[in-house]
Amino acid sequence: MSDLKTALGEAAAAAFAAEGLSAEFGRVTASDRPDLADFQCNGALAAAKAAKANPRDIATRVVERLKTDPRLASVEIAGPGFINFKLADAALSERANTLADDPRAGSETVAAQRRVVVDYGGPNVAKPMHVGHLRASIIGESIKRLFRYRGDQVWGDAHFGDWGFQMGLLIVALGDEGRGEPFMAEGEGPFPSESPVSIEDLERLYPAAAARAKEDTEFRDRARKATMALQAGRPGYRALWKHMHDVSMAALKRDFGALDVHFDLWNGESDADPLIPDMVEDLKRKGLAVPDQGALVVHVAREDDKRKLPPLLVLSSEGSAMYGTTDVATILQRRREQDAQLMLYVVDARQADHFEQVFRTACLAGYAEEGSLDHLGFGTMNGADGKPFKTRAGGVLKLGDLIEMAREKARARLHEAGLGEDLPPAEFEDIAHKVAVSALKFSDLSNYRGTSYVFDLDRFTSFEGKTGPYLLYQAVRIKSLLRKAEGEGAAAGAIAVTEPAERDLVLTLDAFETALSEAYDKRAPNFIAEHAYRVAQSFSKFYAACPVLAAGHETTRPSRLRLVETTLKQLLIALELLGIGVPERM
Ligand code: ARG
């Protein structure tokens, strides 16, 4: 079942081929002039150049062959040799009915399904999530949903930052407060099953300890030793570590849950630890890991690098495994446990060098094939000053606080618009939450992930313009229209397109597959966001121009109802792929 653009492209390709020209010239795109045509083909110009012929002559011959196609109302030459297509109403109606019958609303699945791990979110023990984790969560969740919807087998993994120096810092900081007994003792235990620390303790201890370690070398050394002892398996430290791990995870899950972000795996950096000793031996044996000033490194720079890439640090001079070491070991783990063929890392673009080091090491060692590892970097969310977003006081904003801020704004926006006020308070709260999440997610996902954008809650929460709340509002309008139709006993029937606004809506819906495949191939959800916005806009124009419930009950009303249902189905799929939930009413 192909979309109209593809079907026309095939017809045009055949026409070019029949004229002895390359079928590739038959590429068809949406028209630049929707007032004149639905689709266009510019191939005659390129074909003429290649054949040193007149473009209008070629276009005339191709058009002659396409003229009899019953799907076309007209096919004409414009300007120097563009071919303009206008579809027959019957062809648009047929396509609309196909979309209406299709539970996937015209979107396809991939032919070859793969096993894919999406590594995103990137939360850390003891560090509250801040706005930097927002993009990782939002984009990663959407990528996960998209890949799964296209038919791949997908695992979302939080890759919990629960290992390394930060754990040593916490252990030592807690001990210095005279707390954490009996976990600090060297023996075998047993150790209390009750956590000696709360999330508040951890959030207070970590920043202070990190700052102190920068100045105080004695403190830093003790933290390093504690890290090593933890990694070497000291029972008290391990038991304490487990408490800090669990306490953090519970708090993190709350924030992620509020954003409707859910992981299939909560594997931590620590889970890759058991693989490290053998892996280090293997890297040495292969001649890849070499000593360097007391540490162990893998040189990954290449002759043709534009910038010199530093080596991957495998073991520090104290013998501790580093961030990159756990990442390489995690690749092995994912090969073993998920048999993953593709690993996507949705992480801040500023970690590009880190991933380049890790990926090169994994490929050199034969742990992964070229192309099976991809860092989907993203830009930063900036403040009005163009720098990464900070609170007014200059600190980093906690994710939980950001969500509450957006919710507060959403409530105000709803009141302003007089929406949801007559609904029960719990439902109003749920709507405000959904509006807030849609605002945060859509404003993020409507930008190409590599671009940075400015945080502007006023604009993000508006019910007008290219925003999440605008999309929710349109979806809710459709829902309420359909509820009303049901109440009136109005039934949907076969779609018969006649009005320009109906044609436009069907053409918009027809482009769904193109948008999804582009998002999938480029690993960039903004194509879905853009499509969802177009659907909402086309619907809004349609609704203004074409009465639905008041239309002729014989054929027009059933046709329009079916078209409206189809629009809602596709819009909801798109929003679901963006991770945006829609209320029943507002
Ligand atoms: N925890 C890391 C951080 O906060 C991000 C982890 C990203 N994923 C990975 N496999 N390294 O920077």
Side-chain angles (χ1 to χ4, degrees):
M1 181 187 43
S2 73
D3 53 24
L4 292 166
K5 195 179 76 175
T6 311
L8 278 185
E10 281 161 8
F16 274 96
E19 287 299 326
L21 298 160
S22 163
E24 281 173 22
F25 294 125
R27 209 170 79 86
V28 162
T29 54
S31 172
D32 294 338
R33 291 285 306 273
D35 51 327
L36 298 181
D38 301 326
F39 294 98
Q40 67 186 54
C41 170
N42 305 345
L45 288 106
K49 208 167 184 187
K52 298 206 170 36
N54 179 329
R56 276 193 79 99
D57 283 350
I58 293 184
T60 309
R61 278 150 56 201
V62 170
V63 163
E64 214 40 55
R65 292 190 176 270
L66 292 168
K67 254 186 183 154
T68 49
D69 193 318
R71 290 169 297 187
L72 295 173
S74 70
V75 44
E76 284 164 356
I77 304 169
F82 300 114
I83 302 172
N84 275 343
F85 301 92
K86 206 157 176 87
L87 286 158
D89 285 349
L92 282 171
S93 303
E94 193 192 322
R95 177 66 180 148
N97 284 307
T98 308
L99 293 174
D101 290 337
D102 178 8
R104 298 177 60 94
S107 59
E108 326 237 321
T109 49
V110 289
Q113 76 153 234
R114 289 172 292 187
R115 285 179 303 280
V116 183
V117 172
V118 184
D119 177 318
Y120 70 105
N124 299 304
V125 164
K127 303 188 209 171
M129 283 199 288
H130 53 77
V131 296
H133 294 97
L134 185 70
R135 297 209 72 189
S137 314
I138 291 176
I139 301 167
E141 179 72 18
S142 180
I143 292 280
K144 179 192 76 179
R145 292 177 184 215
L146 172 64
F147 273 66
R148 191 168 285 161
Y149 189 66
R150 298 296 276 176
D152 289 316
Q153 192 181 352
V154 186
W155 292 265
D157 184 3
H159 195 69
F160 197 14
D162 63 353
W163 211 229
F165 187 54
Q166 99 222 38
M167 300 311 305
L169 277 176
L170 283 165
I171 294 170
V172 172
L174 191 68
D176 283 6
E177 285 195 341
R179 298 169 51 198
E181 287 302 338
F183 296 94
M184 301 296 170
E186 274 194 45
E188 288 292 324
F191 300 99
S193 57
E194 189 99 338
S195 175
V197 284
S198 66
I199 185 67
E200 289 75 22
D201 289 327
L202 293 176
E203 290 181 0
R204 177 179 53 77
L205 285 168
Y206 177 74
R212 186 171 162 199
K214 286 208 178 102
E215 331 239 276
D216 182 344
T217 48
E218 179 270 340
F219 180 74
R220 188 165 61 224
D221 282 347
R222 283 195 291 128
R224 283 213 179 118
K225 292 212 174 83
T227 308
M228 275 164 53
L230 170 73
Q231 295 188 351
R234 179 164 152 168
Y237 284 2
R238 287 277 175 141
L240 180 56
W241 168 86
K242 180 86 172 86
H243 284 307
M244 299 203 257
H245 174 281
D246 294 351
V247 161
S248 294
M249 188 156 91
L252 291 164
K253 281 190 173 167
R254 227 180 14 243
D255 283 347
F256 282 126
L259 285 174
D260 218 348
V261 168
H262 309 281
F263 298 97
D264 305 291
L265 303 170
W266 266 87
N267 284 343
E269 293 174 4
S270 64
D271 288 298
D273 191 61
L275 296 160
I276 289 178
D278 283 351
M279 182 185 88
V280 171
E281 280 317 304
D282 187 54
L283 290 172
K284 282 191 197 156
R285 208 172 323 118
K286 289 178 173 151
L288 292 168
V290 293
D292 184 49
Q293 298 170 49
L296 194 68
V297 305
V298 176
H299 291 287
V300 291
R302 289 180 192 150
E303 283 283 313
D304 56 348
D305 284 342
K306 288 195 190 73
R307 225 160 27 79
K308 191 159 162 37
L309 194 65
L312 177 93
L313 188 53
V314 179
L315 295 177
S316 71
S317 48
E318 284 102 358
S320 292
M322 310 304 286
Y323 180 44
T325 323
T326 50
D327 257 325
V328 179
T330 302
I331 291 170
L332 286 172
Q333 187 193 7
R334 289 174 178 156
R335 289 295 291 265
R336 247 173 243 184
E337 290 175 9
Q338 284 76 38
D339 193 12
Q341 295 156 298
L342 180 63
M343 299 177 212
L344 302 175
Y345 296 79
V346 184
V347 185
D348 195 317
R350 289 172 291 187
Q351 293 195 27
D353 280 359
H354 164 77
F355 285 108
E356 196 55 36
Q357 292 166 334
V358 168
F359 296 172
R360 285 188 187 183
T361 301
C363 288
L364 284 170
Y367 302 159
E369 283 85 57
E370 227 37 84
S372 68
L373 305 167
D374 192 8
H375 171 211
L376 312 185
F378 52 80
T380 51
M381 184 174 92
N382 295 333
D385 60 357
K387 303 211 181 89
F389 187 82
K390 294 250 156 61
T391 60
R392 256 191 220 132
V396 282
L397 185 60
K398 283 202 222 168
L399 193 54
D401 294 345
L402 176 77
I403 297 169
E404 184 44 40
M405 222 165 97
R407 247 189 320 246
E408 188 54 45
K409 189 84 202 170
R411 288 184 201 106
R413 286 287 196 187
L414 285 164
H415 286 307
E416 240 171 69
L419 290 172
E421 283 171 320
D422 44 353
L423 298 174
E427 190 175 349
F428 179 81
E429 257 314 290
D430 177 60
I431 295 169
H433 182 76
K434 289 199 164 83
V435 167
V437 171
S438 79
L440 293 174
K441 288 193 170 180
F442 190 80
S443 54
D444 190 303
L445 295 173
S446 56
N447 299 288
Y448 173 68
R449 59 177 159 74
T451 351
S452 299
Y453 65 97
V454 173
F455 181 72
D456 180 352
L457 205 48
D458 261 330
R459 193 163 59 77
F460 295 175
T461 54
S462 170
F463 282 103
E464 275 153 40
K466 199 169 175 180
T467 69
Y470 168 76
L471 289 178
L472 287 197
Y473 181 68
Q474 294 303 338
V476 166
R477 256 173 105 198
I478 305 181
K479 284 189 180 187
S480 84
L481 169 63
L482 293 175
R483 259 198 311 272
K484 202 155 165 221
E486 206 184 336
E488 291 179 14
I495 301 174
V497 171
T498 55
E499 295 300 310
E502 292 175 321
R503 294 180 58 97
D504 177 65
L505 181 54
V506 175
L507 284 168
T508 304
L509 297 175
D510 179 55
F512 193 34
E513 170 57 22
T514 302
L516 290 196
S517 64
E518 194 148 27
Y520 181 76
D521 293 342
K522 303 209 167 97
R523 300 171 181 171
N526 59 301
F527 296 100
I528 311 172
E530 184 62 36
H531 181 77
Y533 178 60
R534 287 202 187 148
V535 171
Q537 263 187 323
S538 284
F539 168 76
S540 183
K541 285 197 196 123
F542 156 83
Y543 200 36
C546 302
V548 177
L549 294 178
H553 292 197
E554 204 59 32
T555 51
T556 311
R557 186 175 75 177
S559 160
R560 288 189 180 158
L561 272 176
R562 186 96 169 119
L563 183 54
V564 169
E565 281 174 6
T566 309
T567 304
L568 179 66
K569 175 171 63 182
Q570 196 181 85
L571 187 55
L572 290 181
I573 296 173
L575 289 171
E576 172 74 23
L577 294 178
L578 298 174
I580 295 176
V582 182
E584 278 317 299
R585 39 185 193 173
M586 56 164 74

